[in-house]
Amino acid sequence: MKVVIGADHGGFELKEFLKNNFEYTDISWIDVGTYSAESCDYPLIADKVAETILNKQADIGVLICGSGIGISIAANRHKGIRAALLYSDEIARLSKEHNNANVAVFGARTQSRDDVVKYLTTFLNTPFSNGERHCRRIEELG
Ligand code: RB5
């Protein structure tokens, strides 16, 4: 599975941690930055992750900023991107089953590494339910 990952300076360390420590069968990372802890702007990182997915160069995205909020807002401005801020294991599961989310978002300043690893594992392991009502609602998103 190809996973494109991006973070602003607030999420830089968590991004590096995930790339080096997250164990999952057959995962390859595309890292679109940022590449240091120097201050940068989260909308530009969200744009890169969104474009990588929309261009079909990756299957799934991971985005990280300090709170997870700004980078979620930015990612969801792209048609075809469904970015979900994962704050519990149940939400990680539902975001795939019901919403077919294609980007998992985390807040590096508000979430523990253990929780992030747990929620990301659930997210990657959960398929979209493909239920008629869920397909219709996703279609309605445009
Ligand atoms: C950066 O300081 C911080 O504002 C950003 O990472 C994020 O939390 C914005 O929503």
Side-chain angles (χ1 to χ4, degrees), residues 27-69:
I27 190 167
S28 65
W29 298 101
I30 301 170
D31 184 352
V32 295
T34 186
Y35 303 112
S36 79
E38 200 175 312
S39 183
C40 68
D41 297 338
Y42 60 79
L44 307 182
I45 300 293
D47 288 350
K48 287 184 187 176
V49 163
E51 282 157 17
T52 304
I53 293 171
L54 295 171
N55 291 338
K56 302 198 185 307
Q57 294 164 290
D59 308 300
I60 285 288
V62 173
L63 277 169
I64 311 162
C65 69
S67 62
I69 298 292

Coordinates of all heavy atoms in Angstrom, one line a residue, residues 27-69:
I27 N 3.9 -1.6 3.4 CA 3.5 -0.1 3.3 C 4.7 0.6 2.7 O 5.9 0.3 3.1 CB 3.1 0.4 4.7 CG1 2.6 1.8 4.6 CG2 4.3 0.4 5.7 CD1 1.9 2.3 5.9
S28 N 4.5 1.5 1.8 CA 5.6 2.3 1.3 C 5.2 3.8 1.4 O 4.0 4.1 1.0 CB 6.1 1.9 -0.1 OG 5.1 2.2 -1.0
W29 N 6.0 4.6 2.0 CA 5.7 6.0 2.2 C 6.2 6.9 1.1 O 7.3 6.8 0.6 CB 6.4 6.5 3.5 CG 6.0 5.7 4.8 CD1 6.7 4.7 5.4 CD2 4.9 5.9 5.6 NE1 6.1 4.3 6.5 CE2 4.9 5.0 6.7 CE3 3.8 6.8 5.5 CZ2 3.9 5.0 7.6 CZ3 2.8 6.7 6.5 CH2 2.9 5.8 7.5
I30 N 5.3 7.9 0.8 CA 5.8 9.0 0.0 C 5.7 10.2 0.9 O 4.6 10.6 1.4 CB 4.8 9.2 -1.2 CG1 4.8 8.0 -2.1 CG2 5.2 10.4 -2.0 CD1 3.7 8.0 -3.2
D31 N 6.8 10.8 1.2 CA 6.9 11.9 2.1 C 7.0 13.2 1.4 O 7.9 13.5 0.7 CB 8.2 11.8 3.0 CG 8.3 12.8 4.1 OD1 7.5 13.8 4.1 OD2 9.2 12.7 4.9
V32 N 5.9 14.1 1.5 CA 5.9 15.3 0.8 C 6.2 16.5 1.7 O 6.0 17.7 1.3 CB 4.5 15.6 0.2 CG1 4.2 14.5 -0.9 CG2 3.4 15.6 1.2
G33 N 6.9 16.2 2.8 CA 7.3 17.3 3.7 C 6.4 17.6 4.8 O 5.3 17.0 4.9
T34 N 6.7 18.5 5.6 CA 7.9 19.3 5.7 C 9.1 18.5 6.1 O 8.9 17.5 6.8 CB 7.7 20.6 6.5 OG1 8.8 21.4 6.4 CG2 7.5 20.2 8.0
Y35 N 10.3 19.0 5.9 CA 11.5 18.2 6.1 C 12.3 18.7 7.3 O 13.5 18.3 7.5 CB 12.3 18.0 4.8 CG 11.5 17.5 3.7 CD1 11.2 18.3 2.6 CD2 11.0 16.2 3.7 CE1 10.4 17.8 1.5 CE2 10.3 15.6 2.7 CZ 10.0 16.4 1.6 OH 9.2 15.9 0.6
S36 N 11.8 19.6 8.1 CA 12.5 20.1 9.3 C 11.5 20.7 10.2 O 10.3 20.8 9.9 CB 13.5 21.2 8.9 OG 12.9 22.4 8.7
A37 N 11.9 21.1 11.4 CA 11.0 21.6 12.4 C 10.8 23.1 12.2 O 10.1 23.8 13.0 CB 11.5 21.3 13.8
E38 N 11.4 23.7 11.1 CA 11.2 25.1 10.9 C 9.7 25.4 10.5 O 9.1 24.6 9.8 CB 12.1 25.5 9.7 CG 12.4 26.9 9.6 CD 13.4 27.1 8.4 OE1 14.4 26.4 8.4 OE2 13.2 28.0 7.6
S39 N 9.3 26.6 10.9 CA 7.9 26.9 10.7 C 7.5 26.9 9.2 O 8.2 27.4 8.4 CB 7.6 28.3 11.3 OG 6.2 28.6 11.2
C40 N 6.3 26.4 8.9 CA 5.8 26.3 7.5 C 4.3 26.4 7.6 O 3.7 26.4 8.7 CB 6.3 25.1 6.8 SG 5.6 23.6 7.4
D41 N 3.7 26.5 6.4 CA 2.2 26.7 6.3 C 1.5 25.4 6.0 O 1.7 24.8 4.9 CB 1.9 27.7 5.3 CG 2.5 29.1 5.7 OD1 2.8 29.3 6.9 OD2 2.7 29.9 4.8
Y42 N 0.6 24.9 6.9 CA -0.1 23.6 6.7 C -0.9 23.5 5.4 O -1.1 22.4 4.9 CB -0.9 23.3 7.9 CG -2.0 24.2 8.3 CD1 -3.2 24.3 7.6 CD2 -1.8 25.2 9.3 CE1 -4.2 25.2 8.0 CE2 -2.8 26.1 9.7 CZ -4.0 26.1 9.0 OH -5.0 27.0 9.3
P43 N -1.6 24.6 4.9 CA -2.4 24.4 3.7 C -1.5 23.9 2.5 O -2.0 23.1 1.7 CB -2.9 25.9 3.4 CG -2.9 26.5 4.7 CD -1.7 26.0 5.4
L44 N -0.3 24.3 2.4 CA 0.6 23.9 1.3 C 0.9 22.4 1.4 O 1.0 21.7 0.4 CB 1.9 24.7 1.2 CG 1.6 26.3 1.3 CD1 3.0 27.0 1.2 CD2 0.7 26.7 0.1
I45 N 1.0 21.9 2.6 CA 1.3 20.5 2.8 C 0.0 19.7 2.5 O 0.1 18.6 1.8 CB 1.7 20.2 4.3 CG1 3.0 21.0 4.6 CG2 1.9 18.7 4.5 CD1 4.2 20.6 3.9
A46 N -1.1 20.2 2.9 CA -2.4 19.5 2.6 C -2.6 19.4 1.1 O -3.0 18.4 0.6 CB -3.5 20.2 3.3
D47 N -2.3 20.5 0.4 CA -2.4 20.5 -1.1 C -1.5 19.4 -1.7 O -2.0 18.7 -2.6 CB -2.0 21.8 -1.6 CG -3.0 23.0 -1.3 OD1 -4.1 22.7 -0.8 OD2 -2.6 24.1 -1.6
K48 N -0.3 19.2 -1.2 CA 0.6 18.2 -1.8 C 0.0 16.8 -1.6 O 0.1 15.9 -2.5 CB 2.0 18.3 -1.2 CG 2.7 19.5 -1.7 CD 4.1 19.5 -1.1 CE 4.9 20.8 -1.4 NZ 6.2 20.8 -0.8
V49 N -0.5 16.5 -0.4 CA -1.0 15.2 -0.1 C -2.2 15.0 -0.9 O -2.4 13.9 -1.5 CB -1.3 15.0 1.4 CG1 -2.2 13.9 1.7 CG2 0.0 14.9 2.2
A50 N -3.1 16.0 -1.0 CA -4.3 15.8 -1.8 C -4.0 15.5 -3.3 O -4.6 14.6 -3.9 CB -5.2 17.1 -1.7
E51 N -3.1 16.3 -3.8 CA -2.7 16.1 -5.2 C -2.1 14.8 -5.5 O -2.4 14.1 -6.5 CB -1.7 17.2 -5.7 CG -2.4 18.6 -5.9 CD -1.5 19.8 -5.8 OE1 -0.3 19.6 -5.8 OE2 -2.0 20.9 -5.6
T52 N -1.3 14.3 -4.6 CA -0.7 12.9 -4.7 C -1.8 11.8 -4.8 O -1.7 10.9 -5.6 CB 0.3 12.7 -3.6 OG1 1.2 13.7 -3.5 CG2 1.0 11.3 -3.8
I53 N -2.8 12.0 -4.0 CA -3.9 11.0 -4.0 C -4.8 11.2 -5.2 O -5.1 10.2 -5.9 CB -4.8 11.2 -2.7 CG1 -4.0 10.8 -1.5 CG2 -6.1 10.3 -2.8 CD1 -4.7 11.1 -0.2
L54 N -5.1 12.4 -5.6 CA -6.0 12.6 -6.7 C -5.3 12.2 -8.0 O -5.9 11.8 -9.0 CB -6.4 14.1 -6.7 CG -7.3 14.5 -5.5 CD1 -7.6 16.0 -5.5 CD2 -8.7 13.7 -5.6
N55 N -4.0 12.3 -8.0 CA -3.2 11.9 -9.2 C -3.0 10.4 -9.2 O -2.2 9.8 -10.0 CB -1.8 12.6 -9.3 CG -2.0 14.0 -9.6 OD1 -3.0 14.4 -10.1 ND2 -1.0 14.8 -9.2
K56 N -3.5 9.7 -8.2 CA -3.4 8.2 -8.1 C -2.0 7.7 -7.9 O -1.6 6.6 -8.2 CB -4.1 7.5 -9.2 CG -5.5 7.9 -9.4 CD -6.3 6.9 -10.3 CE -7.7 7.2 -10.6 NZ -8.5 7.6 -9.5
Q57 N -1.1 8.6 -7.3 CA 0.2 8.1 -6.9 C 0.3 7.5 -5.6 O 1.3 6.9 -5.2 CB 1.2 9.3 -7.0 CG 1.3 9.9 -8.4 CD 2.0 11.3 -8.4 OE1 1.4 12.2 -7.9 NE2 3.2 11.4 -8.8
A58 N -0.8 7.6 -4.8 CA -0.9 7.0 -3.5 C -2.3 6.5 -3.3 O -3.3 7.1 -3.8 CB -0.4 7.9 -2.4
D59 N -2.5 5.5 -2.4 CA -3.8 5.0 -2.1 C -4.5 5.8 -1.0 O -5.7 6.0 -1.0 CB -3.7 3.5 -1.6 CG -2.9 2.7 -2.6 OD1 -3.3 2.6 -3.8 OD2 -1.8 2.1 -2.2
I60 N -3.7 6.2 0.0 CA -4.2 6.7 1.3 C -3.2 7.9 1.7 O -2.0 7.8 1.4 CB -4.2 5.6 2.3 CG1 -5.3 4.7 2.1 CG2 -4.2 6.2 3.8 CD1 -6.7 5.2 2.4
G61 N -3.8 8.9 2.4 CA -2.9 9.9 2.9 C -2.9 10.0 4.4 O -3.9 9.6 5.1
V62 N -1.8 10.5 5.0 CA -1.8 10.8 6.4 C -1.3 12.3 6.5 O -0.3 12.7 5.9 CB -0.8 9.9 7.2 CG1 -0.6 10.4 8.6 CG2 -1.2 8.5 7.1
L63 N -2.1 13.1 7.3 CA -1.7 14.5 7.5 C -1.6 14.8 9.0 O -2.4 14.3 9.8 CB -2.7 15.4 6.8 CG -2.6 15.6 5.3 CD1 -3.8 16.3 4.8 CD2 -1.3 16.5 5.0
I64 N -0.6 15.6 9.3 CA -0.4 15.9 10.7 C -0.1 17.4 10.9 O 0.8 17.9 10.1 CB 0.8 15.1 11.3 CG1 0.6 13.6 11.0 CG2 0.8 15.3 12.8 CD1 1.9 12.9 11.2
C65 N -0.8 18.1 11.8 CA -0.3 19.4 12.2 C -0.4 19.4 13.7 O -0.5 18.4 14.4 CB -1.2 20.5 11.5 SG -2.9 20.7 12.0
G66 N -0.4 20.6 14.3 CA -0.4 20.7 15.8 C -1.7 20.1 16.4 O -1.7 19.2 17.2
S67 N -2.8 20.6 15.9 CA -4.1 20.2 16.4 C -4.8 19.2 15.5 O -5.7 18.6 15.9 CB -5.0 21.5 16.5 OG -5.2 22.0 15.2
G68 N -4.4 19.1 14.3 CA -5.1 18.3 13.3 C -6.2 19.1 12.6 O -6.8 18.6 11.6
I69 N -6.5 20.3 13.1 CA -7.7 21.0 12.6 C -7.4 21.7 11.3 O -8.1 21.6 10.3 CB -8.2 22.0 13.6 CG1 -8.7 21.3 14.9 CG2 -9.4 22.9 13.1 CD1 -9.9 20.5 14.8

